Amino acid sequence: MFAIGVAAAGDVDFEPLACLGAVVVAVAVANGWSSWGRARTERHLGGMIVCAQPSQGYGILWIMSIDTTAASPAALTSTSYLVLGLIEREGPSTPYDLKRHVAATIGHFWTFPHALLYKEPPRLAELGLLTEEREAAGRRRRLFSITGRGRAAIQAWLAKPSQDSTELRDAGLLQLFFADLGSTDDRRALAVAQLAIHRAALARYENDRRAEGMLHGSDAAARTVERWRGVTLPMGLLYERAAVEFWEGVAARGRVDGDTADRLRAEDDGARLGANENGRERGEG
């Protein structure tokens, strides 16, 4: 698809259209002079823009050729960037390779349906961000590699810090929120169960930390696991330690509440017994 536009020479705010995958060719010599004015070359994600600075006698004439196969940022999701990032770091990968990498690292802090790891690479290949090779025989595995466009998409994504708030889905906290509708025993049981979960996770993370240095980046799996241990694992350790401390507090309060409830029930039972005895005595008198 082509678009042709002209801007007046005095229109200093004019900027040529720059979109993902677009190539703009001005009627000018790149980085030189022409009858249209001074030319300037700029590189953009997915293409190159060559535009002419306005000359005194002419406006700017530009012609744009839009590559309709290029991906727009709106077409890419968090899973897209996850797939692109892993393949960029690890090299050509099958969907099963991606699944193994996620299970060992990213899956500890980013949950999503792993079936997407089989659906997303072909979609990214259609957008020109990956290439696909299929084995001619045997298991006929699909091997995906990143393209220049894919690398540019990752770099553009990383250049824009996320403004999204942290998403937290914790079934234990959901039950705790409504714990006042149940019994004290239920609350204590919930705290004990959550403590077991978070203590086990903390132990796994501490083992990962102690294993630092055992892998030397000699293969793809080593690079991702080392990255998990060195960059994001410290956050996992902090979170699980905080969770253990939190649920220990819930368990302790549950014991106190349970003891208090038992004492109050005993006092109520004692008061009722006393009232019954006084009633019998008055009746006998």
Side-chain angles (χ1 to χ4, degrees), residues 2-283:
F2 293 91
I4 300 177
V6 178
D11 187 359
V12 296
D13 292 330
F14 172 79
E15 292 183 0
L17 180 61
C19 65
L20 190 64
V23 179
V24 177
V25 182
V27 184
V29 178
N31 293 320
W33 286 95
S34 78
S35 60
W36 293 97
R38 179 69 177 176
R40 184 179 74 254
T41 301
E42 298 178 1
R43 291 200 171 271
H44 291 259
L45 183 59
M48 181 176 69
I49 291 176
V50 182
C51 60
Q53 298 291 342
S55 65
Q56 292 182 352
Y58 300 92
I60 297 176
L61 173 67
W62 49 268
I63 302 174
M64 171 168 284
S65 173
I66 300 176
D67 185 349
T68 57
T69 65
S72 68
L76 302 181
T77 65
S78 297
T79 303
S80 305
Y81 294 117
L82 182 153
V83 169
L84 291 171
L86 282 176
I87 293 177
E88 168 68 348
R89 175 176 294 140
E90 312 302 343
S93 304
T94 66
Y96 179 72
D97 293 332
L98 297 175
K99 184 178 178 181
R100 287 193 303 111
H101 294 322
V102 168
T105 58
I106 299 172
H108 291 289
F109 59 86
W110 186 260
T111 58
F112 64 100
H114 286 188
L116 292 177
L117 295 174
Y118 290 86
K119 297 178 180 179
E120 189 65 10
R123 190 180 79 88
L124 295 176
E126 290 179 359
L127 294 174
L129 304 180
L130 298 177
T131 59
E132 177 183 352
E133 296 179 24
R134 186 185 287 270
E135 292 179 340
R139 298 169 59 187
R140 295 182 57 80
R141 295 181 305 171
R142 306 171 76 177
L143 191 67
F144 294 90
S145 303
I146 197 165
T147 65
R149 280 184 185 163
R151 292 189 182 93
I154 279 286
Q155 291 164 6
W157 173 62
L158 292 173
K160 296 180 180 179
S162 173
Q163 302 297 319
D164 296 337
S165 59
T166 301
E167 298 178 11
L168 182 62
R169 291 172 58 90
D170 190 319
L173 286 180
L174 183 62
Q175 285 190 310
L176 182 63
F177 183 82
F178 293 107
D180 61 304
L181 305 179
S183 68
T184 302
D185 289 340
D186 291 339
R187 184 187 181 102
R188 277 200 302 263
L190 172 63
V192 169
Q194 289 296 308
L195 270 174
I197 291 171
H198 289 289
R199 283 170 175 165
L202 179 59
R204 289 195 303 271
Y205 290 172
E206 288 175 339
N207 285 337
D208 277 353
R209 183 186 58 180
R210 284 192 291 270
E212 191 75 34
M214 293 178 65
L215 296 174
H216 304 290
S218 58
D219 56 36
R223 286 192 293 273
T224 287
V225 172
E226 285 182 342
R227 191 69 180 170
W228 151 248
R229 290 174 178 169
V231 178
T232 50
L233 178 59
M235 182 62 181
L237 287 165
L238 287 172
Y239 173 77
E240 293 301 340
R241 287 169 183 156
V244 167
E245 181 179 351
F246 172 80
W247 286 107
E248 284 177 342
V250 173
R253 288 193 297 275
R255 286 192 294 271
V256 171
D257 291 345
D259 293 343
T260 301
D262 290 343
R263 178 174 55 78
L264 292 175
R265 280 195 295 270
E267 291 176 354
D268 289 342
D269 291 342
R272 282 195 294 271
L273 287 173
N276 291 337
E277 290 179 358
N278 290 335
R280 283 197 297 271
E281 288 177 357
R282 285 195 297 270

